[in-house]
Amino acid sequence: MLNTPCHIVSDLHLGVAKPETERAFEGYLSSITGRVETLVVNGDLFDFWFEWKTVIPRRGFRTLAALAALRESGTKILYIAGNHDCWGGDVLRDDVGVEYHVGPWEGSIGPWRVRIEHGDGLRETEDRKYRMVRPIMRSPTAIRLFRRLHPDWATRLATGSSNASRTYAARDGGAGLRSIGHARLEAEPALDVVIFGHSHVAALERVGARQVFANAGSWLDAPTYIELTDDRIALLRWNGSAERDSLDVIDR
């Protein structure tokens, strides 16, 4: 179980995001210290993340330090792997202190029953090619071979090959993941909320009488995030201060 207030962010793609995006996120992390019980990072915080035995990517170092400070302040951090940062390990878990989770997470956030998933590979037609290569990319053999590359070469290779999937919102405007989220809620009446990332399209909408579909959006476009309290779920935009802009709210 995760405690409320709980914030969910996704898709910052640090490393290719503008420097001011990372600075804004560091400011956001500082602003929630002592005010938020749980932070969920729903994938693609980094545009590329890989852990060699003694080396990690340089980009995003300040954010790692800010996350470690937030964790030490008492905020629990759940990091759900995305398609760009699915090779996490001991650095994230032991040095930063996050709970690093590969695959969908389902459990309670306060009184809400929630399923959180990054969303890559879920669309049957559009993601067919990616689903074919994903098991290869994440296989122990591929990871061992990749680790043998010099970090500079490996990073250049990884960031170059991932360019197409990070620079725009989903071509379908998020409709594919939206329909999958709705179908999942209809198939699982016990769920209150389904939250995706990946599409870069922020969303908060009621499904049926009491269920909710949400997407935190991407900070490449705007600094949006989801907030769950015991009484409501909200789509918010950070404006540089503790006072945030409310874009939409659904009461429990």
Side-chain angles (χ1 to χ4, degrees):
M1 177 177 174
L2 304 179
N3 294 328
T4 58
C6 172
H7 285 191
I8 298 98
V9 300
S10 65
D11 295 281
L12 278 91
H13 292 270
L14 299 178
V16 298
K18 295 178 180 179
E20 50 264 36
T21 299
E22 183 172 7
R23 299 295 181 267
F25 188 62
E26 293 165 16
Y28 159 77
L29 293 175
S30 178
S31 76
I32 66 174
T33 301
R35 301 176 58 244
V36 172
E37 290 290 326
T38 309
L39 173 67
V40 178
V41 178
N42 191 16
D44 289 359
L45 174 63
F46 300 100
D47 192 68
F48 168 65
W49 179 262
F50 192 87
E51 297 181 14
W52 288 265
K53 289 185 177 180
T54 58
V55 176
I56 60 172
R58 174 183 175 184
R59 295 174 177 178
F61 172 77
R62 289 170 58 100
T63 295
L64 288 177
L67 286 170
L70 180 66
R71 180 67 191 96
E72 289 175 0
S73 75
T75 297
K76 182 173 183 176
I77 302 174
L78 171 64
Y79 192 135
I80 296 172
N83 52 306
H84 287 257
D85 49 13
C86 56
W87 301 280
D90 293 343
V91 171
L92 294 177
R93 293 188 177 99
D94 299 337
D95 297 331
V96 181
V98 306
E99 179 184 336
Y100 184 75
H101 182 84
V102 179
W105 179 91
E106 189 170 318
S108 296
I109 302 180
W112 306 83
R113 186 69 184 178
V114 182
R115 181 183 176 93
I116 305 176
E117 190 169 358
H118 182 64
D120 55 302
L122 295 182
R123 297 174 303 172
E124 183 173 351
T125 301
E126 296 89 337
D127 296 337
R128 184 183 297 116
K129 292 182 180 179
Y130 169 70
R131 286 203 303 270
M132 292 172 62
V133 302
R134 181 170 61 179
I136 300 172
M137 293 167 53
R138 301 188 183 188
S139 70
T141 300
I143 292 171
R144 284 196 301 270
L145 291 173
F146 194 83
R147 187 169 280 124
R148 293 181 180 180
L149 297 176
H150 188 283
D152 288 344
W153 300 341
T155 300
R156 190 177 300 114
L157 174 64
T159 55
S161 65
S162 68
N163 179 68
S165 66
R166 70 175 178 240
T167 54
Y168 54 79
R171 291 192 179 98
D172 62 4
L177 283 182
R178 178 179 179 272
S179 64
I180 291 168
H182 281 228
R184 186 149 291 160
L185 287 165
E186 292 170 5
E188 300 185 45
L191 283 176
D192 297 309
V193 186
V194 164
I195 300 175
F196 289 148
H198 189 58
S199 70
H200 294 195
V201 179
L204 180 65
E205 54 195 37
R206 175 93 54 191
V207 180
R210 63 169 190 82
Q211 294 176 301
V212 177
F213 170 74
N215 190 309
S218 169
W219 278 49
L220 291 174
D221 306 308
T224 54
Y225 59 95
I226 299 293
E227 180 183 67
L228 279 90
T229 66
D230 287 353
D231 302 320
R232 67 173 197 163
I233 178 170
L235 175 63
L236 305 172
R237 180 172 55 210
W238 190 67
N239 60 14
S241 70
E243 299 300 324
R244 55 275 174 96
D245 299 328
S246 179
L247 303 180
D248 202 355
V249 177
I250 294 177
D251 294 324
R252 183 170 170 81

